[in-house]
Short mmCIF file of all heavy atoms in Angstrom, two decimals:
data_model
loop_
_atom_site.label_atom_id
_atom_site.label_comp_id
_atom_site.label_asym_id
_atom_site.label_seq_id
_atom_site.Cartn_x
_atom_site.Cartn_y
_atom_site.Cartn_z
N ARG A 29 -26.22 -15.40 14.70
CA ARG A 29 -26.20 -14.11 15.67
C ARG A 29 -25.20 -13.16 15.21
O ARG A 29 -25.11 -12.07 15.62
CB ARG A 29 -25.87 -14.66 17.08
CG ARG A 29 -27.04 -15.54 17.60
CD ARG A 29 -26.87 -15.88 18.98
NE ARG A 29 -27.85 -16.66 19.55
CZ ARG A 29 -27.95 -16.99 20.90
NH1 ARG A 29 -27.08 -16.42 21.80
NH2 ARG A 29 -28.94 -17.72 21.35
N GLU A 30 -24.29 -13.54 14.20
CA GLU A 30 -23.15 -12.65 13.83
C GLU A 30 -23.46 -12.17 12.41
O GLU A 30 -24.17 -12.91 11.61
CB GLU A 30 -21.84 -13.47 13.95
CG GLU A 30 -21.38 -13.95 15.33
CD GLU A 30 -21.94 -15.18 15.60
OE1 GLU A 30 -22.57 -16.01 14.68
OE2 GLU A 30 -21.95 -15.72 16.70
N ASP A 31 -22.75 -11.06 12.11
CA ASP A 31 -22.94 -10.55 10.76
C ASP A 31 -21.65 -10.99 9.98
O ASP A 31 -20.50 -10.71 10.28
CB ASP A 31 -22.81 -9.02 10.85
CG ASP A 31 -22.90 -8.26 9.54
OD1 ASP A 31 -22.99 -8.94 8.53
OD2 ASP A 31 -23.06 -7.07 9.48
N SER A 32 -21.89 -11.72 8.87
CA SER A 32 -20.73 -12.29 8.04
C SER A 32 -20.01 -11.20 7.25
O SER A 32 -18.99 -11.49 6.78
CB SER A 32 -21.39 -13.33 7.05
OG SER A 32 -22.24 -12.82 6.18
N HIS A 33 -20.46 -9.98 7.30
CA HIS A 33 -19.66 -8.88 6.75
C HIS A 33 -18.49 -8.61 7.76
O HIS A 33 -17.39 -8.09 7.31
CB HIS A 33 -20.40 -7.54 6.70
CG HIS A 33 -21.45 -7.49 5.63
ND1 HIS A 33 -22.67 -8.03 5.73
CD2 HIS A 33 -21.36 -7.12 4.32
CE1 HIS A 33 -23.42 -7.86 4.65
NE2 HIS A 33 -22.60 -7.27 3.77
N GLU A 34 -18.58 -9.10 9.04
CA GLU A 34 -17.51 -8.80 10.06
C GLU A 34 -16.85 -10.11 10.52
O GLU A 34 -15.61 -10.07 10.67
CB GLU A 34 -18.08 -8.03 11.19
CG GLU A 34 -18.83 -6.82 10.80
CD GLU A 34 -17.93 -5.70 10.15
OE1 GLU A 34 -16.67 -5.78 10.39
OE2 GLU A 34 -18.36 -4.91 9.41
N VAL A 35 -17.53 -11.16 10.74
CA VAL A 35 -16.97 -12.38 11.20
C VAL A 35 -17.70 -13.57 10.53
O VAL A 35 -18.63 -13.40 9.75
CB VAL A 35 -17.28 -12.48 12.83
CG1 VAL A 35 -16.55 -11.37 13.52
CG2 VAL A 35 -18.80 -12.51 13.10
N LEU A 36 -17.13 -14.73 10.77
CA LEU A 36 -17.67 -15.96 10.17
C LEU A 36 -18.67 -16.68 11.07
O LEU A 36 -18.19 -17.23 12.07
CB LEU A 36 -16.50 -16.95 9.82
CG LEU A 36 -16.95 -18.12 9.10
CD1 LEU A 36 -17.59 -17.84 7.63
CD2 LEU A 36 -15.81 -19.08 8.82
N PRO A 37 -20.06 -16.51 10.86
CA PRO A 37 -20.91 -17.12 11.68
C PRO A 37 -20.95 -18.71 11.58
O PRO A 37 -20.56 -19.20 10.60
CB PRO A 37 -22.27 -16.63 11.12
CG PRO A 37 -22.04 -15.51 10.27
CD PRO A 37 -20.69 -15.81 9.71
N ARG A 38 -21.41 -19.25 12.72
CA ARG A 38 -21.52 -20.80 12.80
C ARG A 38 -22.83 -21.20 13.34
O ARG A 38 -23.35 -20.61 14.20
CB ARG A 38 -20.34 -21.37 13.66
CG ARG A 38 -18.91 -20.99 13.13
CD ARG A 38 -17.84 -21.62 14.03
NE ARG A 38 -16.44 -21.40 13.48
CZ ARG A 38 -16.00 -22.31 12.72
NH1 ARG A 38 -16.52 -23.38 12.39
NH2 ARG A 38 -14.80 -21.95 12.16
N VAL A 39 -23.37 -22.21 12.64
CA VAL A 39 -24.68 -22.67 12.95
C VAL A 39 -24.64 -24.17 13.29
O VAL A 39 -23.90 -24.93 12.49
CB VAL A 39 -25.73 -22.44 11.86
CG1 VAL A 39 -27.08 -23.06 12.21
CG2 VAL A 39 -25.96 -20.97 11.62
N LYS A 40 -25.22 -24.68 14.41
CA LYS A 40 -25.09 -26.13 14.70
C LYS A 40 -26.08 -26.99 13.93
O LYS A 40 -25.92 -28.23 13.95
CB LYS A 40 -25.35 -26.35 16.16
CG LYS A 40 -24.24 -25.63 17.11
CD LYS A 40 -24.42 -25.90 18.44
CE LYS A 40 -23.38 -25.20 19.37
NZ LYS A 40 -22.00 -25.57 18.91
N ALA A 41 -27.00 -26.45 13.21
CA ALA A 41 -28.12 -27.25 12.54
C ALA A 41 -27.42 -28.24 11.56
O ALA A 41 -26.52 -27.92 10.82
CB ALA A 41 -29.12 -26.37 11.85
N GLY A 42 -27.97 -29.42 11.44
CA GLY A 42 -27.58 -30.41 10.40
C GLY A 42 -28.58 -30.44 9.27
O GLY A 42 -29.49 -29.62 9.23
N VAL A 43 -28.22 -31.28 8.31
CA VAL A 43 -29.09 -31.29 7.10
C VAL A 43 -30.49 -31.49 7.38
O VAL A 43 -31.42 -30.92 6.77
CB VAL A 43 -28.47 -32.26 6.12
CG1 VAL A 43 -29.37 -32.40 4.85
CG2 VAL A 43 -27.07 -31.92 5.72
N ALA A 44 -30.77 -32.52 8.27
CA ALA A 44 -32.13 -32.84 8.55
C ALA A 44 -33.04 -31.61 9.08
O ALA A 44 -34.02 -31.45 8.71
CB ALA A 44 -32.26 -34.05 9.57
N GLU A 45 -32.40 -30.78 9.99
CA GLU A 45 -32.96 -29.76 10.44
C GLU A 45 -33.24 -28.67 9.43
O GLU A 45 -34.16 -28.04 9.36
CB GLU A 45 -32.22 -29.11 11.69
CG GLU A 45 -32.93 -28.03 12.39
CD GLU A 45 -32.19 -27.70 13.69
OE1 GLU A 45 -31.17 -28.28 14.06
OE2 GLU A 45 -32.54 -26.56 14.30
N LEU A 46 -32.18 -28.49 8.65
CA LEU A 46 -32.27 -27.56 7.51
C LEU A 46 -33.37 -27.87 6.54
O LEU A 46 -34.13 -26.99 6.03
CB LEU A 46 -30.96 -27.42 6.79
CG LEU A 46 -29.71 -26.71 7.55
CD1 LEU A 46 -28.45 -26.94 6.80
CD2 LEU A 46 -30.02 -25.31 7.82
N MET A 47 -33.55 -29.14 6.28
CA MET A 47 -34.52 -29.62 5.24
C MET A 47 -35.94 -29.39 5.80
O MET A 47 -36.83 -29.29 5.04
CB MET A 47 -34.35 -31.14 5.00
CG MET A 47 -33.03 -31.52 4.19
SD MET A 47 -33.12 -30.96 2.53
CE MET A 47 -34.41 -31.93 1.79
N GLY A 48 -36.05 -29.43 7.18
CA GLY A 48 -37.35 -29.09 7.75
C GLY A 48 -37.73 -27.68 7.81
O GLY A 48 -38.90 -27.24 8.42
N ARG A 49 -36.80 -26.81 7.67
CA ARG A 49 -37.02 -25.33 8.13
C ARG A 49 -36.41 -24.48 7.05
O ARG A 49 -37.08 -23.96 6.08
CB ARG A 49 -36.36 -25.05 9.44
CG ARG A 49 -36.77 -23.69 9.92
CD ARG A 49 -36.14 -23.48 11.40
NE ARG A 49 -34.74 -23.63 11.40
CZ ARG A 49 -33.99 -23.63 12.60
NH1 ARG A 49 -34.61 -23.64 13.73
NH2 ARG A 49 -32.66 -23.83 12.60
N GLU A 50 -35.12 -24.14 7.02
CA GLU A 50 -34.62 -23.17 6.10
C GLU A 50 -34.62 -23.48 4.77
O GLU A 50 -34.75 -22.65 3.81
CB GLU A 50 -32.98 -22.95 6.42
CG GLU A 50 -32.74 -22.14 7.64
CD GLU A 50 -32.68 -22.88 8.96
OE1 GLU A 50 -33.12 -23.97 9.01
OE2 GLU A 50 -32.27 -22.31 10.05
N LEU A 51 -34.53 -24.83 4.34
CA LEU A 51 -34.54 -25.27 2.98
C LEU A 51 -35.86 -25.28 2.34
O LEU A 51 -35.85 -25.45 1.15
CB LEU A 51 -33.80 -26.58 2.81
CG LEU A 51 -32.23 -26.54 3.14
CD1 LEU A 51 -31.62 -27.94 2.92
CD2 LEU A 51 -31.47 -25.45 2.43
N LEU A 52 -36.97 -25.16 3.07
CA LEU A 52 -38.31 -25.29 2.52
C LEU A 52 -38.54 -24.15 1.52
O LEU A 52 -38.94 -24.27 0.40
CB LEU A 52 -39.28 -25.40 3.57
CG LEU A 52 -39.34 -26.63 4.39
CD1 LEU A 52 -40.38 -26.52 5.50
CD2 LEU A 52 -39.53 -27.80 3.58
N PRO A 53 -38.29 -22.84 1.88
CA PRO A 53 -38.37 -21.74 0.89
C PRO A 53 -37.48 -21.95 -0.30
O PRO A 53 -37.92 -21.68 -1.43
CB PRO A 53 -38.16 -20.46 1.66
CG PRO A 53 -38.35 -20.85 3.08
CD PRO A 53 -37.97 -22.33 3.25
#
């Protein structure tokens, strides 16, 4: 939800969730 140009974003997702979504592409 934050822009890393301005602040450090944090995401709660773990590796298993990333493997099933963000990491597929």
Side-chain angles (χ1 to χ4, degrees):
R29 296 188 179 188
E30 299 87 8
D31 180 356
S32 55
H33 288 87
E34 305 299 333
V35 298
L36 183 60
R38 295 179 178 272
V39 173
K40 296 189 180 298
V43 173
E45 187 173 352
L46 290 171
M47 289 293 291
R49 190 177 60 188
E50 281 89 347
L51 295 182
L52 293 177

